[in-house]
Amino acid sequence: MTVTFKDVKADLLDKIAQGIMAPGTLMPNEMDLAERYGCARATVNRAMRELADEGIVERKRKAGTRVRKAPIRQARFSIPIVREEIESKGSEYRYALIDRTLQDVPDWLRGRLALKPGQEVVRVVCMHWADGIPYQHEERWINPEIVPAVLEADFSANGPNEWLLAEVPFSNAEISFMAVEATQDLADHMGCFAGNALFRTERTTWLKETAITFVRLTYRRGHRMTTRY
Amino acid sequence: MTVTFKDVKADLLDKIAQGIMAPGTLMPNEMDLAERYGCARATVNRAMRELADEGIVERKRKAGTRVRKAPIRQARFSIPIVREEIESKGSEYRYALIDRTLQDVPDWLRGRLALKPGQEVVRVVCMHWADGIPYQHEERWINPEIVPAVLEADFSANGPNEWLLAEVPFSNAEISFMAVEATQDLADHMGCFAGNALFRTERTTWLKETAITFVRLTYRRGHRMTTRY
DNA sequence: CAGTGGTCTAGACCACATT
DNA sequence: ATGTGGTCTAGACCACTGG
């Protein structure tokens, strides 16, 4: 059986976990490891590159590879579409549009989206339910310059999220997580009391330096966002 | 100039972003692309593998590579050590131990950590300040079976987080984000009012199937956790 | 069964950072 | 100057899985 990069990676990880290679240790170079494992250097390279990507080790040319003293712990969250998030839990999804207006971009948003004063944006407010219980409140602003079709889009049946995904194939984004106290309006929609703590995510999405949309998703009371790493 | 995997990746990304390769499209196979770009198949493979890792495309043997209809949007968060988080913002870090006790594991925690009834755990409560202002409240339970040194550890000068990182080199974890309403006790420590919405993360850390620690980090009012992707 | 991606190899050249 | 990782190549075999 030939030695795979997964074998090498697993063995290195094991040595790190067992303390055989303590944090701060300088690891052997790729050529030596390749010889030791009886494989090609490329195989060792792949294993160590993945360890580096995961923040376990730190690689520098000439300096070599070290076990990180404080591993960069990183968590990966998948950002699902609400409908799928709800249906994957076996719940029934329901959607309703609350408001849809064309308005001058508010000042606080202008900075975020890097828009010109007086420019118009589409604001959409809607709700998502799981089994008839309020699940998520969505408030979104869309830049019609990039996505002119939004001016004709009808969000009464489907949320703007799925619609946008179809229109804008790929983009980069900045996302924030936070806790907020429910306003009276939010509380009415979410079926809780004003002042209750709610989990919120805010996301700005860009297509090559120009902002497409800013969205504020507020979850029902007690919601948790969970992941493993 | 030779064609690098980054060139290939960037070009493919561009074609996807511009809609030339719309979501759902079946992409050419590696051999064809290699010929088209004038590079080796391994180069194309690396480019497409990274696109797959990032959730942009979907690869299946024999079926080929497709542009995802709904790209798996995923965010990566680095989980910093509080001290570094604060000092990297140019603020002065201060720490204080609030409480440290050896107690029977509470029922709600026993399930989480998969411990035996009546087993003892170390509970540590402490605070972290930035420039003298409350920044984060930490409440932590540690399993002394895995880390017996915790029984002698003195957390009066340094927090258990940094201490644990040095003791336990590598581990896997489950992390949750949520919003909570401040209890009176929390509010007193954080300098806010009871009932205020606070951002909290809870993390369970394991070393090979056995739980090491459960930690509850509550941030000051208005805290945001932000990342780009 | 046949086509696709998954991986390994042996060798090579290069970029970079430490010395 | 020199050693380390970063990457490309050309070829090969294999594993999976769709038709």
Side-chain angles (χ1 to χ4, degrees), chain B residues 14-31:
Chain B
D14 211 57
K15 284 192 167 50
I16 293 171
Q18 288 183 22
I20 298 175
M21 285 177 151
T25 305
L26 178 65
M27 303 171 76
N29 67 34
E30 296 188 347
M31 263 184 40

Side-chain angles (χ1 to χ4, degrees), chain B residues 3-6 39-43 46 60-63:
Chain B
V3 175
T4 74
F5 79 92
K6 288 183 181 176
C39 66
R41 181 166 82 96
T43 305
R46 170 100 187 253
K60 266 191 287 196
R61 283 164 155 129
K62 167 77 178 185

Side-chain angles (χ1 to χ4, degrees), chain B residues 14-212:
Chain B
D14 211 57
K15 284 192 167 50
I16 293 171
Q18 288 183 22
I20 298 175
M21 285 177 151
T25 305
L26 178 65
M27 303 171 76
N29 67 34
E30 296 188 347
M31 263 184 40
D32 290 351
L33 282 176
E35 194 175 358
R36 202 147 93 197
Y37 286 113
C39 66
R41 181 166 82 96
T43 305
V44 173
N45 179 277
R46 170 100 187 253
M48 302 197 51
R49 181 155 39 82
E50 292 203 354
L51 289 179
D53 286 346
E54 290 164 23
I56 312 291
V57 303
E58 193 176 8
R59 317 197 76 189
K60 266 191 287 196
R61 283 164 155 129
K62 167 77 178 185
T65 303
R66 284 180 183 284
V67 181
R68 273 192 194 275
K69 52 182 195 333
I72 293 185
R73 303 225 160 277
Q74 45 192 4
R76 282 184 125 186
F77 284 85
S78 65
I79 318 278
I81 299 180
V82 205
R83 159 181 264 128
E84 289 171 5
E85 185 179 4
I86 288 172
E87 290 180 344
S88 73
K89 289 175 184 166
S91 297
E92 183 215 2
Y93 173 74
R94 192 154 63 82
Y95 162 85
L97 178 65
I98 297 174
D99 188 45
R100 183 194 179 288
T101 55
L102 186 62
Q103 60 179 207
D104 282 0
V105 57
D107 282 343
W108 64 269
L109 183 63
R110 215 184 56 220
R112 263 182 201 280
L113 298 190
L115 297 181
K116 296 177 285 285
Q119 180 157 358
E120 293 196 308
V121 290
V122 175
R123 176 172 176 269
V124 179
V125 182
C126 56
M127 275 292 302
H128 307 272
W129 287 271
D131 288 334
I133 300 169
Y135 184 82
Q136 184 191 82
H137 179 273
E138 175 174 353
E139 187 176 15
R140 183 186 290 268
W141 290 261
I142 305 171
N143 179 1
E145 273 202 356
I146 309 298
V147 205
V150 75
L151 296 171
E152 276 89 47
D154 176 19
F155 296 120
S156 59
N158 290 298
N161 194 348
E162 299 173 63
W163 183 85
L164 270 173
L165 272 176
E167 290 288 313
V168 186
F170 176 72
S171 53
N172 55 326
E174 177 178 294
I175 186 167
S176 293
F177 296 166
M178 72 210 76
V180 296
E181 286 134 25
T183 60
Q184 185 58 55
D185 179 63
L186 248 182
D188 290 345
H189 284 114
M190 299 304 290
C192 65
F193 296 106
N196 278 169
L198 301 178
F199 181 71
R200 169 178 288 175
T201 78
E202 288 185 355
R203 187 162 77 243
T204 310
T205 305
W206 314 73
L207 182 61
K208 293 177 185 280
E209 314 304 314
T210 51
I212 302 170

